[in-house]
Amino acid sequence: MSEKDNLHDADGNEDLKSKAITTEYTVAENQNTPEDTPSNETTEASDAIKSEATETPKDEEQADQPVEDNTTATANSEDTAANKKDAHVDEIEKSNAEDAEDEGNNERHTLEDKDYHSMTMEQLADEFETLLKNKKVQTIKSHIDEIKTEFNSKFSEILEEKKEEFLSEGGSEIDFFYSSPLKKRFNALYKDYKNNLNAYYKTLETNLKSNLENRLRIIEDIKGLINVEENINTTYKLFKDLQEEWRTAGPIPRDKYNNAWNTYHHHVEIFYDFLHLNRDLRDMDFKHNLDQKLKIIDRAEELAQDDNSNRAFRELQVLHKMWKEDLGPVDKEHREAIWERFSNATKTIHDKRQAYYADVDKAHEANLEKKEAIIAKIEEIAKDELNSHQAWQNKIKVIEGLRTEFFNAGKVPIKVNEATWAKFKAAVRTFNKKKNSFYKGLKKDQYTNLQKKLDLIKIAEEHKDSDDFDTVTPLMKKIQNEWKEIGHVPRKDSDKIWKRFKAACNHYFDKLNAERNAANKGEVEAFEKKSKLLDNLKELSLSGTPEEDLETIKKKTEEWNALGPVPQNKRFIEGKFNKAVDSLFNNLKMDKSEVEMIKFENKLEHLSQPDDTRLLDNEHHFIRKKIDEVRGEINQLENNLQFFSNIDKTNPLVKDVLNNIENHKENLAVWEEKFKKLKELY
């Protein structure tokens, strides 16, 4: 018997009524690898905690221990030799052994792979909850592991930032603690997950042990058939019953799977050799097995053409399981050939799958380059020396954008994942340390500013009820200016201290204004009367007779002057009155020069203030300047006239210049007359 036949074909004959294998194969979903066992209760359950063979077949090392020491030695040695020759088959065997622990589970390979790295902490928690509610707990190990890793990485980054801020504000490291509702929610979900998983493994442990014991008992019963002295048909029937019992015996621990099957095949083969069954019956069994295995090979070769290597691999697992578990041997002349075809199709699918993962690795390498470039940018920004709040806020926004880019850049090769993440965190941590150092100094300045403003509040509150207005008023104005010059204070104190300071200052100035209003009651009354007079003046209509209208304007002016001064802050009303009077003068049917002088004399009455000549001085300088300007313009025009010496004076250009000179001389005469009137008042 060949090595490959003993390993892959050594099964007992099935009777002619055994279930046929059709050419239409349905992909049975592979089973899940359990995650953890409760409290190291069993070796079998703890051994189940391994990485998924279909995900990382090269990383799993499965040491199959022999079920028996004597009778299986040959089979196991042949098994080892075959596995060394056919690594692609070994991968299938390992994956099927892994799935063998829970035959009822068919969800592990159908779960959607998602980019957990790019998800936010909230999204990761939501995804965790969805898996926990809707999927079998034993099917979600790899997904939960990745979700947990990503969540903890993101939370640790936040934790470090909070710790830096806490220490920068003067806190002690031993007193630091930080949590969040989201973290508590995630922890609660993980606790539920572990409890459910432990409960699952307690049940699984019992079932696996019982099934293994049952299968070992079946092997022993088959061994015992060799020495039974009874009718061959009765012995053969017992043998077929034991085979059917084997098929329905249920899942066993993965580390016992291959050796249990090899031992079973070994003793089935021995049974055939010693039983000396009817050759025709055996040939019929061989033919049946050959037909079904050829159908399996045809399907495997079809799968070898499938571009979806993962889907093809999952169905190939099913075909290998059927080849090994459901079918017996074929005639020796076909064994090498059919196994060679099946092995070649398996290798093609294996190679395609390896090429697919090679492409995935290339994509991960490209993602690594992106992430290293992002880290370099963060490191460069962390070198900047910033000295203002706004500058730091701008850089914080840039860093947040780079963080988002980092998480959206995709996965990197597993071998550098931890190192890349550590490098990213280190770059961000360096930036945060400089940021926190700046704001620590800024907060120190703010607390200094707070104390300065509290001192000003104390002064304002001590003097708010003072009656010494001459002394306190300059003081209150001074501390108001100082308040404006002091910089920012901590945000939590800003509104509160401003309200205190404003209340004290308003209290004082309200009292000052009340005192002044009482002292200047007459001026306030004068303002109210002048306001009414101004309203009447705006509605005044002239008669059209110059002498009569002039007298009316004069009386209104005298009435205005008789009302007396108004408060200092209300003197704008004088300017409004002068504009209204000027408007009336402009409507008089009199010589403009005469009207201008009347207006000026009226103006002088307002400019004349006892013991205060500032207004007259200003008017003196103004008129003096106007006289100089008009004289200069006359001289310029007369100089320009010299260019027209050979031109008749009736020329339009010459006439225009002469008229202009005459108008300026008349204007000059008015200004000189005003100047004369002004000098008489000195």
Side-chain angles (χ1 to χ4, degrees):
M1 181 176 294
S2 73
E3 178 181 75
K4 293 187 177 69
D5 187 53
N6 187 38
L7 175 62
H8 299 286
D9 294 341
D11 199 351
N13 293 326
E14 295 184 359
D15 58 29
L16 297 178
K17 295 181 181 179
S18 61
K19 181 177 64 177
I21 302 173
T22 65
T23 55
E24 296 297 326
Y25 297 107
T26 302
V27 179
E29 300 298 341
N30 294 319
Q31 316 307 317
N32 184 41
T33 303
E35 180 198 0
D36 295 309
T37 57
S39 307
N40 298 321
E41 293 187 36
T42 66
T43 303
E44 289 84 352
S46 63
D47 288 342
I49 310 173
K50 294 184 178 180
S51 60
E52 300 190 32
T54 56
E55 298 284 347
T56 54
K58 295 183 180 180
D59 294 337
E60 182 179 340
E61 294 182 4
Q62 182 174 319
D64 291 333
Q65 300 300 320
V67 177
E68 301 182 69
D69 293 332
N70 298 322
T71 59
T72 63
T74 301
N76 290 336
S77 64
E78 290 174 350
D79 180 31
T80 303
N83 280 333
K84 287 181 180 178
K85 292 180 181 178
D86 300 319
H88 52 288
V89 177
D90 185 48
E91 181 180 2
I92 295 286
E93 293 289 340
K94 288 180 180 180
S95 185
N96 280 338
E98 183 178 3
D99 294 341
E101 282 189 335
D102 186 4
E103 292 179 344
N105 167 36
N106 58 4
E107 293 182 5
R108 175 163 62 93
H109 296 298
T110 61
L111 289 180
E112 179 185 359
D113 288 330
K114 296 185 177 181
D115 186 4
Y116 296 121
H117 186 65
S118 65
M119 290 185 181
T120 64
M121 293 172 63
E122 291 81 0
Q123 291 170 331
L124 289 170
D126 291 342
E127 188 67 22
F128 193 163
E129 187 171 7
T130 298
L131 290 173
L132 197 57
K133 286 182 177 179
N134 301 320
K135 302 296 180 182
K136 293 180 181 179
V137 68
Q138 68 269 31
T139 69
I140 58 178
K141 173 199 177 328
S142 62
H143 292 262
I144 297 304
D145 284 349
E146 189 173 354
I147 288 173
K148 182 184 176 186
T149 298
E150 293 299 339
F151 185 92
N152 286 343
S153 295
K154 290 176 170 63
F155 182 76
S156 68
E157 185 186 6
I158 295 175
L159 193 66
E160 289 175 6
E161 290 183 12
K162 296 296 182 182
K163 185 176 181 180
E164 286 290 337
E165 292 177 4
F166 178 78
L167 297 178
S168 70
E169 293 177 356
S172 173
E173 185 168 357
I174 197 172
D175 296 326
F176 175 74
F177 174 80
Y178 174 77
S179 186
S180 69
L182 185 59
K183 175 63 174 172
K184 292 177 181 177
R185 176 192 171 201
F186 189 88
N187 289 346
L189 288 171
Y190 194 74
K191 183 178 179 181
D192 290 343
Y193 166 70
K194 297 294 288 185
N195 290 339
N196 294 346
L197 195 63
N198 287 340
Y200 162 76
Y201 278 127
K202 285 182 180 179
T203 302
L204 178 64
E205 172 200 356
T206 302
N207 293 337
L208 294 179
K209 282 185 175 180
S210 176
N211 296 338
L212 178 60
E213 291 172 1
N214 192 29
R215 286 183 183 272
L216 295 180
R217 192 264 307 162
I218 293 171
I219 292 173
E220 291 297 320
D221 288 348
I222 292 175
K223 288 168 61 178
L225 291 177
I226 296 174
N227 299 318
V228 174
E229 296 182 1
E230 58 183 17
N231 183 277
I232 188 171
N233 290 330
T234 302
T235 302
Y236 182 71
K237 184 177 185 305
L238 289 174
F239 172 69
K240 299 306 290 186
D241 290 342
L242 288 173
Q243 279 192 312
E244 184 61 28
E245 190 177 351
W246 175 272
R247 293 187 186 96
T248 60
I252 61 175
R254 76 173 75 174
D255 62 333
K256 302 293 189 285
Y257 173 78
N258 280 324
N259 282 335
W261 272 96
N262 290 335
T263 303
Y264 170 73
H265 289 316
H266 176 76
H267 290 291
V268 165
E269 195 70 18
I270 291 175
F271 175 79
Y272 274 114
D273 290 339
F274 280 90
L275 195 58
H276 303 294
L277 290 177
N278 180 280
R279 184 173 182 83
D280 292 337
L281 181 62
R282 181 161 183 163
D283 287 345
M284 289 179 66
D285 274 351
F286 282 172
K287 184 178 184 306
H288 167 78
N289 295 335
L290 177 62
D291 290 342
Q292 304 311 313
K293 288 189 175 183
L294 287 174
K295 291 177 181 179
I296 289 176
I297 292 170
D298 289 341
R299 180 56 184 159
E301 289 173 344
E302 288 178 12
L303 292 175
Q305 306 304 316
D306 194 337
D307 291 333
N308 189 327
S309 59
N310 284 330
R311 179 176 61 202
F313 180 81
R314 289 197 296 271
E315 186 171 343
L316 185 65
Q317 286 181 265
V318 178
L319 297 181
H320 272 266
K321 187 174 181 181
M322 293 167 66
W323 182 290
K324 180 174 185 176
E325 299 180 12
D326 293 345
L327 297 173
V330 301
D331 192 271
K332 288 184 178 180
E333 65 177 296
H334 300 297
R335 291 177 186 174
E336 290 288 345
I338 65 171
W339 173 249
E340 191 70 22
R341 279 183 64 191
F342 192 35
S343 178
N344 289 340
T346 298
K347 188 174 187 304
T348 300
I349 295 171
H350 172 271
D351 291 345
K352 278 189 175 183
R353 190 162 179 262
Q354 294 302 109
Y356 164 78
Y357 282 116
D359 290 340
V360 171
D361 289 341
K362 289 180 182 178
H364 289 176
E365 289 289 347
N367 295 341
L368 176 61
E369 292 182 8
K370 293 178 185 177
K371 289 194 171 185
E372 287 179 338
I374 292 169
I375 293 171
K377 289 180 182 178
I378 295 174
E379 290 173 338
E380 196 63 31
I381 291 173
K383 296 177 182 178
D384 293 343
E385 298 296 333
L386 307 175
N387 298 312
S388 71
H389 167 71
Q390 189 58 50
W392 274 105
Q393 290 302 306
N394 291 339
K395 291 298 183 182
I396 289 171
K397 290 180 181 178
V398 173
I399 293 296
E400 285 300 316
L402 290 173
R403 288 183 76 257
T404 301
E405 282 186 45
F406 183 86
F407 290 125
N408 290 337
K411 295 181 179 180
V412 300
I414 294 176
K415 61 184 179 181
V416 296
N417 184 54
E418 289 296 328
T420 304
W421 176 246
K423 189 176 180 182
F424 169 74
K425 287 199 297 183
V428 174
R429 190 184 303 118
T430 300
F431 174 82
N432 286 334
K433 282 183 177 180
K434 292 186 71 174
K435 175 196 70 176
N436 292 335
S437 176
F438 168 79
Y439 280 106
K440 182 179 180 181
L442 193 62
K443 286 180 179 178
K444 183 178 179 181
D445 293 340
Q446 288 179 347
Y447 280 110
T448 300
N449 295 338
L450 175 61
Q451 188 56 52
K452 291 179 180 179
K453 290 194 172 184
L454 289 174
D455 292 341
L456 296 182
I457 290 173
K458 183 178 180 181
I459 295 173
E461 290 178 342
E462 286 176 350
H463 292 84
K464 68 178 183 177
D465 293 315
S466 175
D467 294 327
D468 186 2
F469 298 118
D470 291 339
T471 303
V472 175
T473 299
L475 174 64
M476 297 296 277
K477 289 182 179 180
K478 178 175 177 293
I479 63 174
Q480 283 181 321
N481 289 330
E482 289 180 3
W483 181 281
K484 295 176 183 178
E485 293 174 359
I486 296 174
H488 294 288
V489 300
R491 187 185 300 273
K492 61 186 178 68
D493 300 304
S494 181
D495 288 343
K496 180 173 62 177
I497 63 172
W498 166 244
K499 288 177 181 178
R500 280 184 61 189
F501 184 70
K502 183 180 178 182
C505 291
N506 286 348
H507 179 83
Y508 173 78
F509 284 107
D510 287 345
K511 183 177 180 181
L512 174 64
N513 291 334
E515 289 289 334
R516 285 181 174 176
N517 286 340
N520 299 324
K521 187 176 181 180
E523 292 182 354
V524 173
E525 291 177 354
F527 174 77
E528 293 174 354
K529 291 177 179 179
K530 284 190 173 185
S531 295
K532 293 179 180 179
L533 179 58
L534 181 60
D535 291 339
N536 293 334
L537 192 63
K538 290 178 180 179
E539 298 176 359
L540 180 64
S541 297
L542 298 177
S543 64
T545 304
E547 292 80 5
E548 185 178 337
D549 292 338
L550 189 60
E551 185 63 27
T552 299
I553 295 173
K554 186 177 180 181
K555 285 181 178 179
K556 291 294 182 182
T557 302
E558 290 174 352
E559 183 180 352
W560 180 274
N561 292 335
L563 292 175
V566 298
Q568 181 72 27
N569 61 342
K570 305 292 185 182
R571 289 187 178 178
F572 61 84
I573 199 170
E574 299 293 340
K576 291 184 176 182
F577 174 76
N578 290 333
K579 288 183 179 179
V581 170
D582 287 347
S583 179
L584 292 174
F585 275 121
N586 291 335
N587 292 330
L588 290 177
K589 296 180 180 180
M590 296 177 60
D591 180 70
K592 290 186 178 180
S593 298
E594 186 178 355
V595 170
E596 189 65 28
M597 290 305 301
I598 294 172
K599 286 166 60 178
F600 183 70
E601 290 175 359
N602 182 62
K603 182 179 180 180
L604 288 179
E605 292 183 13
H606 294 285
L607 296 177
S608 301
Q609 298 291 337
D611 302 324
D612 189 358
T613 63
R614 286 179 299 174
L615 295 177
L616 290 175
D617 290 342
N618 290 339
E619 188 68 17
H620 179 274
H621 291 303
F622 175 73
I623 294 175
R624 184 77 244 180
K625 183 179 178 181
K626 293 299 294 183
I627 290 173
D628 291 340
E629 288 176 357
V630 175
R631 285 176 177 171
E633 290 174 358
I634 292 173
N635 289 335
Q636 182 63 46
L637 289 170
E638 288 178 344
N639 289 335
N640 292 342
L641 195 60
Q642 294 178 5
F643 293 103
F644 302 101
S645 56
N646 297 325
I647 301 177
D648 192 338
K649 290 184 179 181
T650 59
N651 185 286
L653 291 175
V654 176
K655 288 177 66 176
D656 185 57
V657 173
L658 291 173
N659 290 335
N660 218 346
I661 292 173
E662 188 62 28
N663 290 335
H664 278 75
K665 287 183 176 180
E666 291 176 0
N667 195 17
L668 178 62
V670 173
W671 285 112
E672 289 177 340
E673 182 64 23
K674 286 181 179 181
F675 190 68
K676 180 180 178 182
K677 290 283 185 183
L678 183 60
K679 289 177 65 177
E680 293 176 355
L681 294 176
Y682 278 95

